[in-house]
Amino acid sequence: MRRLLFILSFFILAPILSSAQVNEHVFWTAIFNTTKLNDKWSLQTDVHFRTSNEYKNLRSILVRPILLYNVSKNSSVGLGYALFDVFTHSAAPNTTEHRIYEQFIQKQNIQAVAITHRIRVEQRFTERPGTSELFTQRFRYYIRALIPLAKQKETTFNKGMYTAIQDELFFHMQINDQVNSSLFDQNRLGASIGYRFSPKFDMEFSYTSQHIKRISSTVSNSIAQLGVYTRF
């Protein structure tokens, strides 16, 4: 376990420490909904609103639906689409990105602690006025542990306060000098405090440290986020 943590820390910190940093403070609001269609199929959609530095303007909107197929009780595969609009609030043109993505989710429980592993592969089509469309691909690995703060009588957590820790690593699947000259793209390490009102509704506040590797610098974002989770 120590060796695994060391290797993970190396991949997270090495690209971050190797270049100059730009530090920003931003706020994200996100709504996550999962609607069960039947025993095998479900539709998941998340919508994000993200501010610019120092919370001055709305920087971006992300809408991301995905159709999921439940392979088993604890695993699913999915095919999704994402629309990501970025607003510059300057003379520079806005950016629109269309994504097609595939993902695999594996869930496990250690008593009442719920652990989620997610692998996602994205095909990204970026449009900027006056330039040709840019195509890139990206690999993402996400892990999250949700920990109830009160002792649970059952392994299923239905109501009460909880905390969560999560990390997500992003890697370019091919090097593109217009975006990045390294394999590493970004890392998001975060912690949350939340309340589960029922099996169908959570609300949580989180802090995430995001590090994005650019060609000549690293952007370091301190992200405060309010998240709402609904399940039907």
Side-chain angles (χ1 to χ4, degrees):
M1 177 60 73
R2 289 182 180 178
R3 182 177 297 178
L4 177 61
L5 290 174
F6 174 80
I7 294 172
L8 182 61
S9 298
F10 174 81
F11 278 109
I12 294 172
L13 294 176
I16 295 169
L17 299 176
S18 62
S19 58
Q21 293 194 22
V22 177
N23 299 305
E24 296 190 354
H25 298 271
V26 299
F27 182 77
W28 293 2
T29 302
I31 302 170
F32 303 85
N33 173 256
T34 302
T35 300
K36 183 178 179 180
L37 303 177
N38 54 44
D39 290 339
K40 284 293 184 180
W41 295 93
S42 58
L43 179 64
Q44 188 177 83
T45 304
D46 50 286
V47 180
H48 301 248
F49 301 91
R50 302 173 178 177
T51 74
S52 59
N53 188 29
E54 302 297 339
Y55 327 111
K56 293 178 180 178
N57 300 295
L58 177 65
R59 171 182 284 169
S60 61
I61 297 175
L62 172 64
V63 181
R64 186 166 49 196
I66 183 170
L67 184 63
L68 298 172
Y69 177 77
N70 300 314
V71 179
S72 66
K73 180 181 178 181
N74 294 317
S75 62
S76 66
V77 293
L79 177 65
Y81 164 79
L83 174 64
F84 186 43
D85 280 322
V86 180
F87 314 109
T88 63
H89 300 284
S90 67
N94 296 337
T95 299
T96 297
E97 182 180 317
H98 302 274
R99 299 177 190 169
I100 299 171
Y101 66 98
E102 306 80 40
Q103 76 176 29
F104 171 75
I105 289 179
Q106 179 67 47
K107 297 180 179 180
Q108 63 182 115
N109 288 85
I110 302 175
Q111 296 183 345
V113 177
I115 300 174
T116 301
H117 304 267
R118 185 183 71 207
I119 293 173
R120 179 176 288 169
V121 178
E122 299 173 324
Q123 295 79 51
R124 308 166 66 198
F125 304 84
T126 304
E127 300 173 353
R128 294 184 179 91
T131 63
S132 58
E133 183 179 81
L134 177 65
F135 173 73
T136 56
Q137 295 190 82
R138 188 166 63 182
F139 174 88
R140 303 167 60 162
Y141 171 69
Y142 169 88
I143 182 170
R144 170 179 163 102
L146 189 150
I147 308 161
L149 294 180
K151 186 176 180 179
Q152 303 296 305
K153 296 180 180 179
E154 303 176 355
T155 57
T156 302
F157 173 48
N158 291 321
K159 188 175 182 179
M161 290 194 69
Y162 66 87
T163 186
I165 54 175
Q166 61 267 346
D167 189 55
E168 187 169 16
L169 283 162
F170 297 64
F171 296 96
H172 293 289
M173 296 181 67
Q174 78 273 354
I175 303 302
N176 189 310
D177 291 338
Q178 297 184 57
V179 179
N180 202 318
S181 57
S182 70
L183 178 67
F184 178 85
D185 176 34
Q186 64 173 283
N187 183 71
R188 297 177 186 173
L189 178 63
S192 307
I193 186 75
Y195 192 87
R196 177 159 293 176
F197 294 88
S198 74
K200 296 184 177 181
F201 181 60
D202 298 352
M203 181 176 290
E204 69 178 43
F205 182 80
S206 63
Y207 169 82
T208 299
S209 178
Q210 179 191 37
H211 299 277
I212 308 172
K213 181 70 172 63
R214 303 299 191 198
I215 294 176
S216 59
S217 66
T218 297
V219 178
S220 180
N221 290 332
S222 295
I223 304 168
Q225 176 171 300
L226 176 65
V228 175
Y229 297 78
T230 58
R231 296 170 288 271
F232 300 109

